[in-house]
Amino acid sequence: AYAATATPEPSAVKWRCLPDAQQNWVCEQTAGTPVTTGSGSRTGLVPTRPVVASELRTTLDWIPVQQMSAEQRAAIAPHCSGAYLEPEREGLASRGKPIDAPIRAESDHSSYLAGEQATFSGHVRVNQGYRQVESDEARLFEQTEIAEFEGNVVLREPDLLLISDSTRIQMQNGRVEAQAVDFAMHSSRSRGGAQQLVRREDGVIELTDARYTTCPPADNSWAITGSELSINPDSGFGSGTHAVLRVKDVPVFYTPYIHFPIDERRQSGFLYPQLGLSSENGFDLITPYYLNLAPNYDATLTPRLQTERGVSLESEFRYLTRESEGQVGGAILPSDNLKDKNRNYDEDRWLFNVQHDQQLSSRWDASLDFTNASDKDYLRDFGSSLEVSSADNLNQQLETRYRGGDDDLFWSLRANLQSFKNMREDKDDPYEKMPQLELTGGWNASEQLSFSWLADTTYFTRDDNWKYIGKLAEADKSEFERRYDIERSLYGEGADELTNANGTRVYLETGASYRWQWPFAYIEPGIKGKTIHYRLTNMNREDFNDPVRNPLGLEYDTSPSTSAPMFSLDSGLYFDRSTRYFGRSYTQTLEPRLFYLFVPEQKGQFQNPLFDSGVYQFSYDSLWREDRFSGHDRLADANRVSLGVTTRLLDNEGGETFRFAIGQTYYFDDRKVLLDPYYGKFQDEEGADSNLSQGRQWALDEAEASASPIASELVWHLSRASSLRQEWIYNVDQSWNQEYGLAYHYSTDSARMLDIAYRYSKRADRTIKDDDGNAIPGAFTDGSISQSDISGIWPLFGDWSLLGRWNHDLTNNKNLEILAGTEYDSCCYKVRFLFRQGLNGSTDDIENADTENAVVLQFVLKGLGGFGTNAQYLSGIKGYEEHDKSTN
Amino acid sequence: CGFQLRGEVSLPSELQRLNLSGVQSGSPLSQALRQSLTSNGVELSETADLSLAVLGYSTDQRAITFTGTGQSAQFEVSGTLRFNLQNSNGTELMGPFSLDAQRTYQSDQNNTTASISERKMIDRELERSLVQQLMLRLQAITSAQLAQAQQAAEARELQAQQAAPAAQ
């Protein structure tokens, strides 16, 4: 029999229900003082309903920034006018499962049937643990442990606000079924609505006829709607079928399946469409599609439509495990439709890229980096969001390294296989290392005495057809197609046979040094022995007998070798003083340094091929180097002393506020060992891209100069926000500036950045070419690099920013790149509009270089993320990625 | 003009025994650090009370000048080294400090292997420059600062310990 034990009179009733031994509830009216009221005056009765549910449906706990505390204000997302903040309430801080906590209920009216059900009506509020439900009416069924709420239902759990017309909760497992729902998830900064909502036992929320957005309430900038959406707070991702992206309620994009992040556990996401219009590719639509497959691997599919070329697909798969990380990616455009100026017309265009890093043990690692492309024009035509390490030579490398020994006696063994895909039509193929074995090591015998060694054995090889010369001169301009395939010329026809050499090189080096060190000075003498041995193949003995083919009179020698000792003495002094500049105290240092180097000349090194050696770009560091050649093919003779001095201003924390260093090398002997045997023998090459004889004359002058250029560098941190760097190399012998670089950087935060740079590099004159791209014999112009580069991001007003770059070539009075754009950044989306004009690099002479124009429109839907920066044009703006990340 | 030869020991006694962590043993950076620390009188020991922890080291390369046709001509390599000082519990005492250095080199498109050799040298010089800056940071630290940082760290540890059971 039903027995109502609750007061029938309208008054606040409080109940407390606890599970009994059979896990059934037993409810009782609590001893709490019921608030009695007169009829008609209920406002002071139940202090539980701060707002009515219908109002809460539109405000959803959104607190405008004006009503926030300073602390709350600091935590809101950039460009937001407020945030979803959970109000203080009973049980908010409660931990553990709600089922283990007692139920407390209160209402205006209630009735109770012991063992069966309790019925509440009028300002019902039920609390259990962290959960709180308010409604007009409620029924609690004791045996089934089901609670039903009707009318203006407001359910609160940590991070969740759910308003519905009716809700049914299984108290035991937390399953919720609700109708006509609006909800907000505070930490996800998101909200949504649905006709029906089911929160499953495992916490996954399933929505029917749903809507989801990260925009503030009443802002309909964008939303995802779907017949079925599901949200998994555990994994931090949502998914759905038949989803439509709406912008201002207008459907703009349909997808049969969608997967998107709901919180910030990963900076990754789904949609990042880009609309572009380019003079070459026509209308260009890029719509990356992100698939989060598991916490440690994901994939991106990027369909791209270029109206002039066709539809292509780029895909990328990334993974991360405890011992490894990597990615596999590729792109394909079947049958390129672009006819005009495209030597790959009707061809399949593709790119493949794989990167893998593996930690095999704490001492042993391995890595693979392999990229290949269908043709030399691929990156120029399409670019890539894949991580391609170099655009000129695609790296194809497998490398493994083992580090052994301890900190005093250490060694490491590296095995390396490395080849390249040459993406330039006017540059030589590089040598490939097939394979390279390198053993390095050292022994710190005492604090002063240390030994070092290096053994490198490499087999260098390349195809006979590695040299590209005179191609343009021979090219028929009317026949654009596949020029590089046809015109590829063979080197070795009447020239230096050695450069066709392949073979094994063994390089051994061992040294010892002894360091005396005091707080105020150090002296470190060192000795080293170096030896190079070759075993060469691919050389024709008869060619060496032909004076036309062998103008230098080189010997036919398949196993040349060179050995040399080296003696060095490095020393320095430290002075300092306390000083004040601009009202701040600093420690100023003065550090003179002296470096002496002696290596006797080893003759006959022209017999050595050039496998991996070049001349270092001269810089301040060059003064202290043991060698002027990179790689191991030449042992540079030296009898020289370098003098330099560095001064620093150190702040109280040891930070380098200012550094200036200047120095010069003085030569006691001319440098006899040259890199290129032709330096000593002038030979004009008609139609060459640069004035070779001038370049060679400079190299010879440099070898005979009694002093090096003066090298200086300056670094000045003007303030926390700005810094200035300058590098200046002045050639005393020739009385000209050899290298100059000045860079100013300003950034207060990621929203405001400015970079201004000017760079100059002295180069030999370059040939002037006629309209057909043929070099005009004897016609030269300045080939030096003189370029300015200005880039930055600057807030304009409100949520608008300006971004851009201007990279200008002063020598040729030509813009390398102009990029100008605006960005609008709001609480839940970002829009970018860009204009770009840049050289497209499709010809290799400056006079006829083509420019390409493009306009681009990009959307970023915040909270749906964006996996890195798909903004290829923006990578030229230094610090852009930080900016992009910080505002997502 | 006021300059004097640098006086005796520049590192406070607490820093004269350090545990170096966060760098792979035997790597060039580790060797440069060890060499620099030991020659400044630091004894490296895994049982030391204080740890010099390298939080991250990365290099980044970008093209800074171009040929007249838009191909890269010179590269800038930037190196960033982040480190801090930790007590034996791994609690940060000082830092994190972030140091950076830049170098430029020429890309020889006709001789890629030589450019790779040059880049290798640049990397070593960047490491040395960063290690030098790191030593200057260490030398500026005083015993008093360290003592204060240690007290603050202990207070934080205590707070964390008290908070931990409450959260359970």
Side-chain angles (χ1 to χ4, degrees):
Chain A
Y2 288 83
T5 54
T7 339
E9 293 304 313
S11 68
V13 200
K14 292 200 176 186
W15 287 88
R16 179 183 165 85
C17 304
L18 280 169
D20 67 5
Q22 285 81 44
Q23 285 291 311
N24 288 331
W25 292 328
V26 175
C27 295
E28 59 177 352
Q29 201 166 357
T30 58
T33 332
V35 184
T36 52
T37 57
S39 55
S41 164
R42 273 192 192 144
T43 40
L45 182 72
V46 187
T48 56
R49 312 291 294 263
V51 281
V52 288
S54 58
E55 207 175 296
L56 205 53
R57 276 186 191 267
T58 54
T59 56
L60 288 166
D61 286 352
W62 178 266
I63 307 295
V65 69
Q66 298 84 358
Q67 296 171 22
M68 287 183 175
S69 69
E71 199 181 323
Q72 289 169 330
R73 225 170 271 189
I76 64 169
H79 303 280
C80 283
S81 62
Y84 299 103
L85 294 179
E86 296 188 69
E88 265 310 313
R89 63 173 172 87
E90 186 184 331
L92 180 63
S94 165
R95 289 167 199 279
K97 288 181 185 165
I99 189 65
D100 298 329
I103 294 176
R104 298 198 301 111
E106 55 185 77
S107 66
D108 295 348
H109 311 270
S110 66
S111 64
Y112 178 62
L113 182 62
E116 296 277 337
Q117 76 171 73
T119 309
F120 304 88
S121 65
H123 300 102
V124 181
R125 190 174 78 168
V126 175
N127 282 85
Q128 187 183 26
Y130 60 61
R131 184 181 299 143
Q132 171 181 297
V133 192
E134 293 161 298
S135 66
D136 294 341
E137 287 173 34
R139 286 181 298 280
L140 269 64
F141 299 94
E142 286 192 6
Q143 284 178 7
T144 52
E145 297 179 17
I146 284 172
E148 288 176 354
F149 300 88
E150 293 282 343
N152 295 313
V153 187
V154 178
L155 169 78
R156 286 185 179 280
E157 288 183 12
D159 244 6
L160 179 70
L161 166 65
L162 203 154
I163 304 132
S164 63
D165 285 353
S166 71
T167 293
R168 184 181 146 97
I169 306 176
Q170 291 185 16
M171 304 302 244
Q172 176 73 29
N173 54 28
R175 183 183 172 92
V176 174
E177 291 160 25
Q179 276 73 40
V181 179
D182 281 296
F183 67 90
M185 297 194 293
H186 306 82
S187 69
S188 309
R189 298 171 187 160
S190 64
R191 65 179 170 96
Q195 273 311 305
Q196 195 176 337
L197 174 147
V198 174
R199 206 260 308 271
R200 297 195 319 228
E201 294 83 333
D202 59 4
V204 175
I205 297 169
E206 289 174 343
L207 305 164
T208 311
D209 291 332
R211 177 181 187 91
Y212 178 88
T213 181
T214 60
C215 292
D219 180 348
N220 288 329
S221 295
W222 67 267
I224 291 171
T225 58
S227 55
E228 304 282 340
L229 288 183
S230 128
I231 291 169
N232 186 344
D234 262 358
S235 70
F237 278 87
S239 62
T241 51
H242 299 298
V244 175
L245 172 70
R246 288 170 192 267
V247 172
K248 296 280 177 198
D249 287 328
V250 179
V252 294
F253 185 79
Y254 164 82
T255 173
Y257 178 75
I258 179 175
H259 196 78
F260 56 93
I262 58 162
D263 58 26
E264 293 179 336
R265 268 177 264 180
R266 286 183 82 179
Q267 287 285 342
S268 52
F270 156 70
L271 274 170
Y272 221 75
Q274 175 176 315
L275 264 169
L277 191 62
S278 112
S279 52
E280 193 175 291
N281 302 327
F283 177 74
D284 189 351
L285 174 66
I286 304 174
T287 56
Y289 194 104
Y290 177 79
L291 291 151
N292 183 69
L293 302 166
N296 62 333
Y297 56 92
D298 61 22
T300 310
L301 295 173
T302 311
R304 181 177 188 181
L305 169 75
Q306 290 164 299
T307 47
E308 296 295 318
R309 293 185 186 273
V311 175
S312 59
L313 180 70
E314 183 167 291
S315 61
E316 183 186 26
F317 175 78
R318 300 186 302 177
Y319 56 91
L320 180 70
T321 71
R322 190 188 291 271
E323 291 86 21
S324 71
E325 63 175 279
Q327 57 188 46
V328 183
I332 184 154
L333 168 71
S335 169
D336 192 347
N337 289 334
L338 182 72
K339 271 187 185 154
D340 191 32
K341 278 198 172 186
N342 180 10
R343 53 184 150 235
N344 301 294
Y345 169 64
D346 208 26
E347 303 268 312
D348 292 346
R349 313 288 304 273
W350 55 265
L351 180 79
F352 174 74
N353 164 255
V354 52
Q355 282 178 14
H356 179 84
D357 291 309
Q358 181 82 42
Q359 198 72 40
L360 292 154
S361 76
S362 63
R363 290 171 172 273
W364 188 18
D365 56 57
S367 68
L368 172 70
D369 179 10
F370 181 93
T371 310
N372 204 356
S374 56
D375 56 83
K376 284 172 187 271
D377 299 330
Y378 184 88
L379 287 174
R380 188 162 62 220
D381 287 349
F382 299 100
S384 179
S385 62
L386 302 173
E387 267 187 50
V388 176
S389 40
S390 164
D392 295 323
N393 286 289
L394 301 183
N395 196 29
Q396 305 181 338
Q397 184 177 19
L398 177 65
E399 193 180 13
T400 180
R401 185 197 305 271
Y402 185 87
R403 293 198 162 97
D406 55 37
D407 295 322
D408 291 327
L409 180 63
F410 53 91
W411 57 273
S412 103
L413 179 66
R414 184 171 79 105
N416 179 29
L417 277 174
Q418 190 172 24
S419 69
F420 304 92
K421 161 99 177 180
N422 186 351
M423 294 294 276
R424 299 285 301 274
E425 60 176 283
D426 56 336
K427 298 296 179 190
D428 299 341
D429 282 348
Y431 269 111
E432 303 182 341
K433 298 172 181 174
M434 289 292 194
Q436 176 179 30
L437 278 175
E438 188 186 58
L439 178 71
T440 55
W443 178 33
N444 300 324
S446 74
E447 271 183 33
Q448 282 81 38
L449 181 65
S450 58
F451 297 89
S452 68
W453 53 84
L454 165 63
D456 180 327
T457 303
T458 309
Y459 181 72
F460 289 93
T461 178
R462 65 178 162 189
D463 197 80
D464 278 354
N465 307 330
W466 59 272
K467 181 106 180 162
Y468 300 82
I469 51 166
K471 186 165 35 65
L472 274 170
E474 296 160 33
D476 180 351
K477 278 291 172 179
S478 60
E479 282 290 320
F480 189 81
E481 287 174 30
R482 301 195 189 88
R483 193 173 69 210
Y484 58 86
D485 287 337
I486 303 160
E487 303 296 334
R488 194 171 188 178
S489 64
L490 300 183
Y491 192 62
E493 293 166 354
D496 175 12
E497 287 306 315
L498 274 176
T499 43
N500 264 356
N502 291 339
T504 305
R505 183 189 68 195
V506 177
Y507 174 79
L508 302 170
E509 172 190 310
T510 181
S513 67
Y514 195 91
R515 188 177 175 98
W516 283 277
Q517 170 117 12
W518 304 273
F520 54 86
Y522 70 91
I523 301 175
E524 184 173 354
I527 48 164
K528 248 181 198 176
K530 301 177 179 182
T531 180
I532 322 166
H533 296 267
Y534 295 92
R535 184 61 53 122
L536 302 176
T537 59
N538 209 30
M539 299 198 299
N540 187 349
R541 185 188 289 268
E542 284 167 21
D543 291 332
F544 282 81
N545 298 327
D546 182 345
V548 177
R549 295 196 158 202
N550 185 9
L552 297 172
L554 299 174
E555 287 169 39
Y556 176 78
D557 182 358
T558 55
S559 53
S561 66
T562 307
S563 303
M566 185 196 88
F567 170 75
S568 65
L569 180 74
D570 195 1
S571 61
L573 285 169
Y574 298 110
F575 295 92
D576 53 23
R577 66 169 182 182
S578 296
T579 183
R580 292 185 72 82
Y581 285 103
F582 315 114
R584 294 185 61 181
S585 60
Y586 295 97
T587 302
Q588 184 176 10
T589 72
L590 194 67
E591 305 162 34
R593 183 175 176 184
L594 180 150
F595 179 72
Y596 175 75
L597 182 70
F598 178 75
V599 181
E601 182 204 346
Q602 305 301 316
K603 288 195 161 59
Q605 293 196 50
F606 290 157
Q607 295 289 143
N608 299 355
L610 283 174
F611 283 153
D612 66 354
S613 289
V615 179
Y616 286 127
Q617 176 181 327
F618 191 81
S619 68
Y620 183 73
D621 285 318
S622 300
L623 304 177
W624 324 110
R625 284 178 187 155
E626 292 172 357
D627 214 325
R628 56 180 185 274
F629 303 121
S630 60
H632 301 311
D633 296 307
R634 296 282 183 275
L635 297 181
D637 55 324
N639 185 10
R640 63 180 174 96
V641 64
S642 298
L643 293 173
V645 62
T646 302
T647 182
R648 299 174 210 264
L649 282 182
L650 303 171
D651 64 25
N652 293 332
E653 279 107 46
E656 209 179 63
T657 305
F658 178 87
R659 180 177 83 233
F660 177 71
I662 187 164
Q664 192 177 16
T665 298
Y666 305 94
Y667 301 109
F668 303 117
D669 289 321
D670 291 347
R671 275 69 64 215
K672 304 281 181 354
V673 178
L674 298 171
L675 186 74
D676 182 340
Y678 279 106
Y679 282 169
K681 198 172 173 82
F682 294 152
Q683 191 186 48
D684 273 318
E685 286 176 29
E686 292 277 324
D689 278 352
S690 64
N691 191 342
L692 293 176
S693 48
Q694 187 186 40
R696 284 166 182 165
Q697 182 62 56
W698 289 2
L700 284 183
D701 290 347
E702 199 177 296
E704 288 164 5
S706 59
S708 78
I710 294 176
S712 76
E713 58 174 19
L714 180 153
V715 178
W716 189 4
H717 294 278
L718 299 151
S719 68
R720 273 195 190 282
S722 62
S723 64
L724 189 74
R725 285 193 292 131
Q726 179 191 262
E727 188 180 25
W728 186 13
I729 312 288
Y730 181 76
N731 192 320
V732 186
D733 192 47
Q734 307 275 12
S735 305
W736 66 45
N737 292 318
Q738 188 159 317
E739 298 278 340
Y740 183 78
L742 183 70
Y744 173 78
H745 176 75
Y746 177 85
S747 74
T748 48
D749 53 53
S750 57
R752 195 185 301 264
M753 285 184 281
L754 181 66
D755 267 288
I756 302 173
Y758 171 76
R759 291 185 184 86
Y760 176 84
S761 182
K762 185 83 179 173
R763 299 286 165 98
D765 292 346
R766 68 169 182 86
T767 319
I768 299 174
K769 289 175 179 169
D770 62 22
D771 290 345
D772 293 329
N774 298 320
I776 302 166
F780 294 104
T781 184
D782 188 3
S784 299
I785 288 172
S786 172
Q787 287 169 15
S788 62
D789 194 353
I790 301 173
S791 67
I793 303 167
W794 206 263
L796 277 181
F797 47 84
D799 298 322
W800 291 86
S801 297
L802 197 66
L803 37 95
R805 182 186 189 193
W806 179 36
N807 194 0
H808 186 73
D809 180 346
L810 284 87
T811 310
N812 303 300
N813 193 22
K814 200 178 258 285
N815 289 322
L816 295 162
E817 183 179 24
I818 296 177
L819 176 77
T822 55
E823 186 176 273
Y824 176 76
D825 206 341
S826 88
C827 189
C828 63
Y829 70 98
K830 187 152 60 176
V831 180
R832 231 178 258 142
F833 183 75
L834 303 171
F835 166 77
R836 181 187 186 263
Q837 184 179 69
L839 294 177
N840 74 354
S842 64
T843 57
D844 49 8
D845 62 299
I846 291 164
E847 283 79 11
N848 304 314
D850 288 338
T851 53
E852 190 185 18
N853 298 327
V855 287
V856 172
L857 187 63
Q858 288 177 326
F859 307 96
V860 180
L861 306 181
K862 293 187 186 182
L864 290 196
F867 48 97
T869 311
N870 188 36
Q872 56 200 24
Y873 293 140
L874 295 167
S875 54
I877 301 176
K878 204 175 166 185
Y880 185 77
E881 274 178 40
E882 281 164 61
H883 167 80
D884 204 31
K885 239 183 247 174
S886 70
T887 52
N888 267 355
Chain B
C1 43
F3 283 109
Q4 289 185 324
L5 275 175
R6 191 175 291 176
E8 269 308 310
V9 184
S10 26
L11 283 181
S13 57
E14 295 89 336
L15 292 177
Q16 289 180 17
R17 200 160 167 273
L18 280 176
N19 173 28
L20 181 61
S21 69
V23 281
Q24 196 173 26
S25 180
S27 67
L29 178 65
S30 157
Q31 284 311 317
L33 267 171
R34 278 169 197 285
Q35 204 262 323
S36 195
L37 287 167
T38 49
S39 67
N40 276 277
V42 177
E43 182 199 341
L44 289 166
S45 159
E46 284 180 15
T47 57
D49 292 337
L50 290 187
S51 238
L52 173 67
V54 173
L55 306 171
Y57 172 61
S58 62
T59 57
D60 189 33
Q61 173 174 310
R62 67 184 198 115
I64 49 165
T65 60
F66 301 87
T67 65
T69 55
Q71 313 284 357
S72 48
Q74 284 173 308
F75 289 106
E76 178 184 81
V77 186
S78 315
T80 309
L81 177 72
R82 291 180 65 248
F83 75 99
N84 68 7
L85 280 175
Q86 301 176 348
N87 67 14
S88 51
N89 300 327
T91 307
E92 181 174 279
L93 296 178
M94 301 189 97
F97 301 102
S98 184
L99 309 169
D100 62 88
Q102 288 83 17
R103 294 287 185 278
T104 56
Y105 75 102
Q106 206 164 300
S107 92
D108 185 350
Q109 309 286 5
N110 278 322
N111 197 349
T112 298
T113 44
S115 291
I116 290 170
S117 307
E118 185 158 356
R119 168 73 201 264
K120 208 169 164 179
M121 171 67 92
I122 294 271
D123 283 347
R124 297 296 90 78
E125 285 166 351
L126 265 185
E127 283 154 10
R128 278 201 291 273
S129 165
L130 290 167
V131 166
Q132 199 168 31
Q133 288 186 49
L134 182 147
M135 289 310 304
L136 292 170
R137 285 269 175 196
L138 288 187
Q139 283 163 359
I141 294 171
T142 62
S143 290
Q145 282 173 334
L146 267 176
Q148 202 180 357
Q150 240 152 356
Q151 270 179 1
E154 276 164 30
R156 264 180 294 147
E157 281 170 12
L158 200 69
Q159 216 171 15
Q161 270 172 16
Q162 283 166 347
Q168 277 164 13

